[in-house]
Amino acid sequence: MPHPIFPLPPISDPSNIQTLGEHIALGVDIRARCTSTGCNHNVPLKLVLLARYLGSRHGARPEHLKPYFYCPDCRSAGLSDENVAFSYYACTAPHTLLNDEGEGADSQRTAA
Ligand SMILES: [Zn+2]
């Protein structure tokens, strides 16, 4: 069940953020990447959408997110679902949109 609008948490130590809400509050993006040889399937995570379903206090470390992700190409080829890694980086563009509003809506978008 989706969580309603959630308040962003206070950040006491920016070098030690753990939850989805803390990543959103600081503008840290996460990308999931398949590590199977030759695949390199990767996708940026929609953190606001994830936080709506998992809760803003849900962990955002690899061990917390891994159960929710797999590479569909590799799964259909019979490879393990374990070959997913996560990258953390400062956001550089509008992201984590809940829906695509089309052209001209860019000025309305925020980073989190
Ligand atoms: Zn793959």
Side-chain angles (χ1 to χ4, degrees):
M1 174 177 223
H3 292 252
I5 293 175
F6 48 85
L8 293 177
I11 306 296
S12 57
D13 182 3
S15 67
N16 186 27
I17 56 174
Q18 300 289 324
T19 67
L20 290 171
E22 291 171 335
H23 281 71
I24 294 168
L26 282 182
V28 176
D29 268 338
I30 305 173
R31 178 173 286 270
R33 175 176 51 87
C34 178
T35 59
S36 297
T37 303
C39 181
N40 199 32
H41 183 200
N42 66 87
V43 61
L45 304 186
K46 295 182 176 183
L47 297 184
V48 172
L49 189 60
L50 272 177
R52 284 195 65 202
Y53 282 94
L54 300 176
S56 64
R57 293 182 180 166
H58 190 279
R61 306 308 307 161
E63 62 269 22
H64 303 130
L65 297 176
K66 207 163 191 168
Y68 301 100
F69 294 92
Y70 64 89
C71 175
D73 297 338
C74 290
R75 178 183 267 190
S76 66
L79 298 176
S80 171
D81 286 345
E82 296 295 315
N83 297 334
V84 176
F86 297 91
S87 304
Y88 300 80
Y89 57 98
C91 67
T92 56
H95 67 118
T96 60
L97 302 173
L98 293 177
N99 56 27
D100 188 6
E101 294 145 1
E103 300 257 338
D106 287 340
S107 63
Q108 304 290 322
R109 295 176 178 170
T110 61

